[in-house]
Amino acid sequence: MSETTTPAAAPAAAPTPAPDPSGLTGAAGVLPGKPVDEMKAALAAANPHAAEHVQANTAKRAERQAQVTALFQERFGVGDLEVANGGPLIPAARHAELARALKDTGFTFYVTVAASHWPAQKTKTGDEPESFEVATVLRSVGPGSLQVSWRVKLAPGEELDSLAPLFAGADWQEREQFDLVGVRFLGHPDLRRLMMPDEWEGHPLRRDYAIDTRCEPWR
Amino acid sequence: MGYLLSTLKSLYATLRQALSKPTTVEFPKVKRERAPRIRASFALTKDAAGDENCIGCKKCEKVCPSEVITVVASKKPSPVTGKARGYADDFTLNLQACIICELCVQVCPTDAIIMVKEQEAPGFSRADLTLTMDKLYKNAETKEKWAWANATVLGEHQKPAEEKKPALAPKPVPAAAAPTPTGAPATATPATAPPATAAPTAPATAAAPATNAATLAAARSPASVSPPPADEKKGGA
Amino acid sequence: MTFVLSNPWLHGLVFGAVLVSVLMALVAFITWFERKLAGRIQSRLGPTMVGPFGLLQPIADAVKAMQKDFIVPKDADRFLFWLAPPLTIAFALATAAVIPFSKDVLAANLDVGVLYALAFSGLLAFPTWVAGWASNNKYALLGGMRMVAQGISYEIPMVMAALVPVTLAGTLSMQGIVEYQVASGWIIATPVGAAAGLLFLTTALAEGNRIPFDIPEAESELVAGPTTEYNAIGWSIFAASEYAHSVITAAIVSALFLGGWDGWWNLPPLLWMVAKTGFVFLIVTWVRWSLLRFRSDQLMALCWKYLVPGALLLVLIAGIQVSVRG
Amino acid sequence: MAVAVEAVATAPVVPTKAFVPDPYLDLDTYEADADLMTLSLGPQHPSTHGVFRVVLYLDGEIIVKAVPHCGYLHRGVEKLCEKLAYSNITPVLDKNDYVAPMLNEQAANMAFEKLMGIEVPLRAKYLRTLLAELQRIASHLLWLGTFAMDLGGALGGGTSVFMYCFRERELILDVFEELTGCRFHYNTHHVGGNRHDIPPGWPKLVHEALDTIESRLEAYLVMLEHPIFVDRTKGVGTIDAQLALELGLSGPLLRASGVDHDLRRDAPYGVYDLLDVQVAVDGGGDCLARYKVRLAEIRESIRLSRLLIDNVPQGPLSATKPLNMVTQFKAAAGQVYVGIESPRGELGTWLIASKDKPTNPYRFKIRPPSLHAAAAVPYVFPGHTLSDAVAILGSLDPIMGEVDR
């Protein structure tokens, strides 16, 4: 264990702190560290294959990326993938078809589904009706693992067909989204609430839920 | 047969562990050595001239994720310098809900609220666990209880690259004049031993917060490899 | 004094009272010893607070257990629920009657001592099952069922392993076996004796459901097996009977295989008997704190596929050895 | 030992057991020898590692159907995070996967930085990778201890291994205490980098801890390589590659089923692109394979940590000014997903920011790897006995704080 520093000798003289063998002087001091290129050289020496992995990743990922953009381009007529915005908007009817196509091109790993509630609001471009947005993320497995995501905009009460028949992992995630945000999934084997008790009414993660709590939700 | 052989091996393994020294200590009698950076409880500091550091800006109240700090502030003439400045009339910190995330210490502009190394602060009633203002100031009495971090030191650790000025020669602090409460962040010595109370002489760690800023800046500059010996300026005592 | 010794009723009564009180004190000490040993094995201190080196810890536990309220679950079978703990401790202590502590110091010098001891230790499965059945809790029921399955199936190899010293010594009386070992060397020294001793110890572990055979009260599966619904004095009686049973089995093992009170350097025979029992109990506890647990079907497979044929083989060899020796 | 993905993934799914587990089995169509016994494993049960309830339908002692119920530890973290500013979310997230808090902080802060377009300096990325590897060791050690206790019982050999693992994990917690001051909930990551820089004596401390762990690990692993342990775990709870991928299992569970996938090597973040991460893959898919994979990961993390602690680069620790206002970090509108490799699998954050409230996330969805481990229970339990169920649940290692959020 480290021991704290030894107390100063004489208060009058400038107490030079005795060098603390554990080097944890007052623990505010900082490890200077090595220059960056020296660090990179040391790591490269210890990890010969690191560069190989990076090339393999970039090559495989570029190939997968090309497949995905091609898929979106031809079958869904979607130009850019709007990665900054979480993926292109896909009509609700073609949601399962896209998932099936992506699974065939190698995106076999089901990552997550995230539903969000967008209440009606008046924006500059005219007032938007209330809507729900369901984003789904899939990932390809192995070197060059790439994640692809797309979004579907739903009117309140509209149902989205479930991915549970395709991916068994989607079962619980979709149940959680139904429980917390209230988006129903068509064809889901047993759509019950996952977190809340079954007789709970209301969906907690909606923007209009529990606004009147003690602490106003938006500080 | 395999069962018997590996049973003997397991027995041998436990025998070796049984013969080695146990790692637990009898806790109440023997205290375990904690790290210098341990974050346990809180304290409010006073500056060199004995004036309260806290100016009642309520930044800590806003930043606290679990909303345990409540501050009642007002403008009053300062008993030491006579000028009117902000003071906290009532500062309560409810330790029951505090998650020790150290954000209040970080955002405090005048290094008023700091953490102390006190190992554990057991409370036998809810009132014990609500740190009122006098408890907070009493916590700051003995210097070696101070933890390592206050806003300046934490700020030093997180200073982004471009603002890294070379290590300034530390501005000699005139013993008499009290540094202005805001205090220039880089070099002012925010807190030294209060002259009024017969505080024990400042052991090395006590001076640590004062010299840390300088040694840190020095240590940070790539040129110097080993931190320089503690600079000549000592907190006035 | 002689009148007491001569009248069988009074003899049994006095000796029984002495034996039970000594055993219960021993059990108290053993709980402390086991917790200290387990602590050392797990590189921690074990009880240190209560009394010097934590020696008064068992008394503290006993007092804590006594002053708690004996809760009976709602629609449990009240009479059976209350009956199970006393029955367990009775059967566990009953086997102590035949243990030869020294030349003439034993409670009952039955000439069917071995049979009596095995019968009572075999009976232990019954009250545990009663506890499991009466406490109206699914985990307890499962634990009780497992206890019956394990208790009965491990009874057979245990009896056969005990048959080896009986055939070698030619008598069923414990005192007789010890005298045979005094005359012609400990049974553990002979190869067949050693194998039988090891087998007897393993089955004794299973009988007292100690690790690695503690399937009935497997904490991580069945919460606490048949003793789930018991608290306070009920549970501590179950724990005491488990410790008492393993001490007495250690005593039987040392009597049958390690030569009972036979020892050199003319130390008092009683001291030898206690030392051997302590040594065997140390091994049992040491095994307990370093092995994992079987699954119940593996347990049965081990018993019927390996232990029973092995025991039969040993009895055969012992028989041949005796007949050859003439 | 890495098995090529294509070979395994396309292998035909042959029901290995005569008893094909059907999670949505309709009980009255199932003709049982005796009438079924419903047994509720949890929510208050010694081996459910947290508040998790599985209703088991037992035919004799064989499980016919398992219906898990979670949500007992649901604290509404996602709703709370919608109220908190970006700087305040980190301390709340420490409590999600309370066995590996460093990884929770890292995942969330990486998502904030990606959304706000902040580039973290090299030293901060380096320190984050090092802390992640140390935390992986501590998390796997805790799993090893609780797994041994599940198989060995609370008053037996299992507890000895549990105590040893906790004694080793203590060393890592002390190392974190030297750096951040807290043993468990550190709040040491913040948007743009880390908050606590490395004290000068730290590398020596880390080396001591790693050497002690490595030497002691060999000492008591002999207690686990015991035929009883192998009997209890071999062929128990087998998940083949196809089912593992479909279920969305990730991390050690996926690699134990033979799929060679590790985000640290396949989608490197932080300083992992400079490192050559040896990914341990075992085609068994049963509890023993999961044990072997996690053990190999402990050794791999020890190797990586030793390498990293010796070459800490110079430079600043944070790209943003130290926090002085709660509304210091603002995010433009956008949605982003970032996934990192936590000891339990892919821990991701789906973050939505909106223009009208830039200081708080609009929607903050956390992708917990343990949710998929818990969701695998109805696919794996049927066909096993009750004691196997406990072993499988121990090997799947769901952390309820993360599942329920």
Side-chain angles (χ1 to χ4, degrees), chain C residues 41-44 138-139 142 146 211-212 219-223 288-296 298, chain D residues 38 40-41 45-47 61 150-157 160 163-164 167 226 228-229 231-232 387-388:
Chain C
I41 285 183
Q42 296 174 353
S43 87
R44 53 186 172 81
K138 286 180 182 158
Y139 286 113
L142 273 177
R146 286 186 180 181
I211 297 253
E219 294 75 23
S220 49
E221 292 141 27
L222 302 178
V223 185
R288 170 180 188 169
W289 290 101
S290 42
L291 286 188
L292 301 181
R293 176 191 312 123
F294 277 106
R295 205 176 46 204
S296 40
Q298 288 163 356
Chain D
T38 59
S40 155
L41 184 76
H45 187 274
S47 73
E61 209 170 298
D150 279 351
L151 298 178
L155 295 170
S160 308
M163 286 296 174
Y164 302 146
R167 179 186 58 190
H226 193 281
I228 297 180
F229 179 79
D231 293 349
R232 283 294 301 275
S387 21
D388 287 342

Side-chain angles (χ1 to χ4, degrees), chain C:
Chain C
M1 190 47 194
T2 56
F3 166 70
V4 162
L5 274 183
S6 64
N7 178 332
W9 283 100
L10 267 182
H11 171 82
L13 199 67
V14 162
F15 213 96
V18 163
L19 197 59
V20 165
S21 51
V22 161
L23 265 177
M24 289 318 278
L26 200 63
V27 161
F29 170 74
I30 275 172
T31 40
W32 172 82
F33 171 74
E34 171 147 23
R35 287 171 65 168
K36 270 289 185 190
L37 181 67
R40 277 295 178 278
I41 285 183
Q42 296 174 353
S43 87
R44 53 186 172 81
L45 285 172
T48 49
M49 284 303 163
V50 186
F53 304 106
L55 264 171
L56 302 182
Q57 184 71 33
I59 292 129
D61 293 346
V63 165
K64 178 198 72 164
M66 294 218 202
Q67 44 99 0
K68 280 204 174 135
D69 169 22
F70 185 67
I71 302 167
V72 181
K74 188 156 57 61
D75 36 20
D77 186 332
R78 301 189 72 81
F79 174 65
L80 284 183
F81 188 82
W82 173 84
L83 182 68
L87 224 57
T88 336
I89 194 80
F91 290 152
L93 289 177
T95 39
V98 285
I99 296 173
F101 290 103
S102 80
K103 191 77 187 70
D104 47 13
V105 174
L106 76 164
N109 185 0
L110 305 174
D111 42 17
V112 279
V114 175
L115 201 60
Y116 170 90
L118 293 180
F120 264 105
S121 72
L123 262 179
L124 258 180
F126 170 67
T128 326
W129 181 77
V130 161
W133 171 263
S135 44
N136 182 30
N137 169 336
K138 286 180 182 158
Y139 286 113
L141 185 65
L142 273 177
M145 291 301 173
R146 286 186 180 181
M147 180 62 192
V148 168
Q150 173 183 324
I152 289 176
S153 64
Y154 271 86
E155 188 63 29
I156 296 156
M158 188 170 181
V159 165
M160 274 186 256
L163 215 55
V164 168
V166 166
T167 42
L168 288 179
T171 136
L172 262 176
S173 127
M174 297 283 262
Q175 200 66 293
I177 294 175
V178 173
E179 263 131 25
Y180 165 77
Q181 291 180 49
V182 166
S184 58
W186 294 356
I187 291 185
I188 202 82
T190 63
V192 75
L198 188 66
L199 201 100
F200 188 86
L201 192 62
T202 355
T203 46
L205 282 182
E207 205 58 39
N209 60 52
R210 307 281 294 188
I211 297 253
F213 303 97
D214 76 335
I215 312 297
E217 24 116 345
E219 294 75 23
S220 49
E221 292 141 27
L222 302 178
V223 185
T227 58
T228 319
E229 290 301 334
Y230 283 86
N231 68 341
I233 197 65
W235 186 82
S236 47
I237 287 182
F238 271 113
S241 68
E242 190 190 321
Y243 282 122
H245 180 78
S246 48
V247 166
I248 291 160
T249 327
I252 292 174
V253 165
S254 50
L256 290 183
F257 295 96
L258 293 171
W261 37 264
D262 164 37
W264 44 97
W265 306 321
N266 52 44
L267 289 172
L270 187 64
L271 189 67
W272 274 109
M273 184 60 183
V274 168
K276 285 177 195 163
T277 318
F279 174 68
V280 173
F281 182 78
L282 181 79
I283 293 182
V284 166
T285 317
W286 187 10
V287 160
R288 170 180 188 169
W289 290 101
S290 42
L291 286 188
L292 301 181
R293 176 191 312 123
F294 277 106
R295 205 176 46 204
S296 40
D297 52 334
Q298 288 163 356
L299 190 84
M300 296 306 152
L302 178 76
C303 170
W304 293 103
K305 284 193 193 140
Y306 299 100
L307 295 187
V308 168
L312 280 173
L313 191 68
L314 285 180
V315 169
L316 185 66
I317 296 169
I320 295 167
Q321 199 173 350
V322 165
S323 61
V324 161
R325 197 183 53 193

